Amino acid sequence: MATTSAGYARARARAGFRKTIRGVVGIMVALAVWQVLASIGFVRPEWFPTATTVLGDAVALLGQSAFTLQVLSTLYDMLLGLIISTVVAVPLGVLLGRFPLAYRMSSVLVEAMRPIPALALTPVAILLFGLSGATTVSLVVWTSTWPILINSVYGMHSVDPVALDTARSFGLGRWTALYRVALPSAAPFIATGIRIAIGIALAVAVATEMVTGAGSGVGGWIVQASSGGSLIPVYAAAVLVGLVGYLLNYLFERIERRLFRWHLSYRKEGA
Amino acid sequence: MNAAASKPQVLSVQDLVYAYRTADGEIEAISDLSFAVHEGEFVSIVGPSGSGKTTLMKIVAGLLQATKGSVRILGKPLTGRVPDGVALVFQDYSRSLFPWMTVQRNVEFPLSHRRASRADVAQRSRESLSAVGLVDFATRYPWELSGGMQQRVAIARALAFRPRLLLMDEPFASVDAQTRADLEDLVADVHQQFGTTILFVTHDIDESVYLSDRVLVLSAHPARLLLDREVPLSRPRDQVATRELHDFVRLRAEIAGLILRPGTEKTASSPQDTSPGGR
Amino acid sequence: MAQVRTPRRTTAKEFGQGIARWVLESVALIVVLVALWQVLTSVFHPLYFPTPVAIWGQIARAWFTPLGFTADILPSFERVTLGWLLAAVIGVPLGVAVGRSRSFAEYVTPLVHYARAVPPPVILPIFMIFFGVGNAMKVVFIAVGVLWPILLNVIKGVESVETVQLDTATVYGIGGSRRLLHVVLPAAMPDILAGLRISLALAFVLMVISEMIAASGGIGYQILQSQAQFDILNMWAGIVVLAVGGVVFNAVLTTIEGRVLRWHRGQRREAL
């Protein structure tokens, strides 16, 4: 029995390795196609540069603090916004999930606020916070709050009442039960909300920076760089910022998987 | 009952081997298995969990390919394609039914692409739904029904297909005892009423003896045939009276001896294997 | 054991009471908040926050006119709709094709994840060079931006179709297009629609950014212009029009989703 389970583990490791290899091959093929298309030269090279040109430029950009500092600035604003909305939305979602009347009273309001596009509020944010990072942060907060809030409520609604009753029967107080039982079982849903928020927060942060003006963050950098007529820096920045977004998402998924191994959606194969 | 042997063979399995590869090398799940099922027969396969019973069912249904040996259905060898006229009822009723279709749509779905007329399809679904007592629930969705009722829908779907061979893979393993007894009698009735040939897999010794004309006992790791025995009980059978008969008790004890106290065979012993009284 | 869990049919009277309670409980909060806004703004006259009544007046005067409709409101919502639809028309079949083949999905998925991680606004300048600043650019930009989340959700949905369901179809000899249409697609539908809903929100963001950066019309353009000219009232009017548009689009999609996925919600409720 022990040998077979070790065998399964090895087989799974091999499948994971194959997956990685195939993913890399896929990206390589895409780069090769890009390279060939761009080399044919039916579009001006400064509009559609080859993959090697862009990758070379991207590596060079990494060494320029003028660029990397802007990336860090955008990341900082985005993460700050995410943290603020998590701190606000999770407790709010837990409360709305626990108290049906509060949920019923607020659900229409939430449904009406949620689809308001963050960018529509840019001018208001500019008026309130000026052309600063605070504007970016506030719009990231607006965007991220809704998915986190809704998933928190949903997570609380799917807490097994039996688990809560069990906790109460062991003498846990109402709030202790909420903290020790309900919150952990809602946590995977909350994490899903945060992951959705991450997906759109970076786009909103960059977009806000592009509107609020040149100089600040990746968005500002893009506006300035693209005014020169050559698109090569824009491509290079897209490659690097994409990498940052990819790593951010990857990291979060890894943490999620590690923390919530017990949760159903992660043990589909085991069932 | 011996008359069954003179009837044509619906299924014949010859020297079947199934092995799968792991990082540690090949592991044999089924080893040199041979048996036949004749028309109209109700044959049970009983064995401990993990004895390759489900694998066997999947091979017969054409979902898996055997490593060696031959499987013939109505004389025709399986050729890596799904055989005609075979229906399979899975253990996992909640997943094998399509939740986006009503009960009736679920039952009619396998029929609607055959060249049957609309009236014929409706007639067949009605007939099989009434055989399982669910005519009144035709417009419901599967998830509106209890587990036992869902499994009855799966059985109705299989019946409407009018299979030459009905495979049932531990169909009642996940319902409660009372429902299980009801479903056992339902399947026995259906077998009598439609004359369907049934190959029934279970890990429950009682159930295998109670339901079938013949019991095949398999060993675990790998699956080998330990016993092939006619069941000397008349039909119709009764949940209480039949189980008290001397023949029933003796055959059950013989099978239990093979499975629970194997001579040379090594068997896994997880709790659910230590059946007979475990239900 | 309970035989059937029958959802009780509600009577007309109960239905009426339900509506009344719903209005009282949920709409009341909104009414109270808007009233509060009206009172506070008309008492304190804050510089940046006009009263709701004034905003409504501005909308009626400047936006709900033939010119306002054709110059700003219609173009904006047309861009969102076309871009999003274009992405859906490409993304859903493509995602199904990729998701059906495990090895193909393994080659392509990291690439799609990467493409999805690039914030679309970063590549807006590229679209402006290739497609100009007109309508076509915005539609294509929105379509490319929202294609990736749609694709990822469709792939995920198709990959997670239950093996037992596929086996069932196989055993009953159901293959090819029937299996795709009646088994794979319905089973993947919850994920597909979730992807479409998430991408609709993104489509709105992309519409506004493309109009703010490069346009001479549209709601996003009007909002930013008004702010630059310190026409606070008109800016708020634009925001409200945009917000109402977002709510309406979302409501339409949610309604369709609720219809199509009635079975899914019912099933999930029973499972909990």
Side-chain angles (χ1 to χ4, degrees), chain B residues 265-278:
Chain B
E265 298 293 336
K266 264 196 348 205
T267 49
S269 57
S270 64
Q272 63 186 68
D273 297 326
T274 53
S275 271

Side-chain angles (χ1 to χ4, degrees), chain B residues 227-247:
Chain B
L227 183 76
D228 179 344
R229 179 66 52 90
E230 298 267 335
V231 178
L233 299 170
S234 61
R235 290 185 190 273
R237 295 172 188 174
D238 179 84
Q239 286 285 357
V240 179
T242 301
R243 289 171 198 264
E244 286 171 345
L245 292 174
H246 182 61
D247 283 338

Side-chain angles (χ1 to χ4, degrees), chain B:
Chain B
M1 227 156 286
N2 285 330
S6 62
K7 293 228 173 124
Q9 285 186 351
V10 173
L11 168 70
S12 113
V13 173
Q14 281 290 323
D15 308 319
L16 180 74
V17 175
Y18 182 79
Y20 57 90
R21 277 199 325 197
T22 70
D24 297 332
E26 293 229 324
I27 292 182
E28 239 180 38
I30 298 174
S31 178
D32 287 326
L33 191 62
S34 299
F35 65 91
V37 177
H38 301 91
E39 197 176 286
E41 243 188 331
F42 194 133
V43 177
S44 285
I45 295 180
V46 64
S49 295
S51 58
K53 300 184 302 272
T54 296
T55 308
L56 175 63
M57 285 305 225
K58 285 193 163 173
I59 291 172
V60 174
L63 295 172
L64 275 180
Q65 277 216 266
T67 311
K68 260 185 243 150
S70 85
V71 175
R72 287 165 176 274
I73 286 169
L74 297 164
K76 274 188 278 182
L78 283 187
T79 53
R81 290 189 56 231
V82 179
D84 252 356
V86 174
L88 173 58
V89 173
F90 293 85
Q91 172 184 343
D92 203 345
Y93 50 80
S94 61
R95 296 187 197 192
S96 89
L97 295 175
F98 302 113
W100 51 88
M101 298 180 188
T102 61
V103 164
Q104 185 173 354
R105 274 288 294 147
N106 263 290
V107 172
E108 290 177 355
F109 184 49
L111 307 175
S112 43
H113 76 296
R114 315 204 152 229
R115 256 172 301 152
S117 71
R118 196 168 275 264
D120 189 32
V121 168
Q123 157 74 17
R124 272 160 79 166
S125 81
R126 202 180 160 74
E127 186 182 286
S128 51
L129 276 175
S130 79
V132 300
L134 285 180
V135 174
D136 293 342
F137 297 94
T139 56
R140 292 295 175 82
Y141 285 90
W143 38 267
E144 292 180 297
L145 309 180
S146 67
M149 293 170 94
Q150 288 182 30
Q151 194 57 297
R152 282 200 265 164
V153 176
I155 293 170
R157 177 171 65 186
L159 288 177
F161 194 63
R162 294 199 183 143
R164 300 295 300 274
L165 175 63
L166 173 56
L167 306 173
M168 304 186 86
D169 184 11
E170 305 223 16
F172 312 140
S174 27
V175 295
D176 61 288
Q178 179 59 47
T179 309
R180 181 173 196 155
D182 292 346
L183 288 172
E184 283 170 3
D185 289 338
L186 174 85
V187 169
D189 281 351
V190 157
H191 170 239
Q192 291 299 94
Q193 190 187 332
F194 294 85
T196 316
T197 312
I198 299 179
L199 183 60
F200 188 99
V201 158
T202 178
H203 63 256
D204 186 319
I205 300 168
D206 265 47
E207 187 171 78
S208 69
V209 175
Y210 177 72
L211 279 175
S212 46
D213 302 323
R214 197 146 58 86
V215 179
L216 309 176
V217 182
L218 295 190
S219 64
H221 315 300
R224 283 200 185 87
L225 193 60
L226 296 179
L227 183 76
D228 179 344
R229 179 66 52 90
E230 298 267 335
V231 178
L233 299 170
S234 61
R235 290 185 190 273
R237 295 172 188 174
D238 179 84
Q239 286 285 357
V240 179
T242 301
R243 289 171 198 264
E244 286 171 345
L245 292 174
H246 182 61
D247 283 338
F248 181 92
V249 176
R250 220 184 41 198
L251 184 51
R252 185 181 70 184
E254 186 185 351
I255 297 169
L258 278 173
I259 291 179
L260 303 178
R261 285 192 294 278
T264 53
E265 298 293 336
K266 264 196 348 205
T267 49
S269 57
S270 64
Q272 63 186 68
D273 297 326
T274 53
S275 271
R279 308 210 278 114

Side-chain angles (χ1 to χ4, degrees), chain A residues 22 104-105 112 120 123 154 239, chain C residues 25 103 106 114 223 242 247:
Chain A
R22 287 187 165 174
R104 289 201 303 271
M105 285 185 71
Y154 182 58
V239 166
Chain C
E25 281 177 357
S103 54
E106 283 182 352
Y114 192 93
I223 292 175
L242 196 51
V247 171

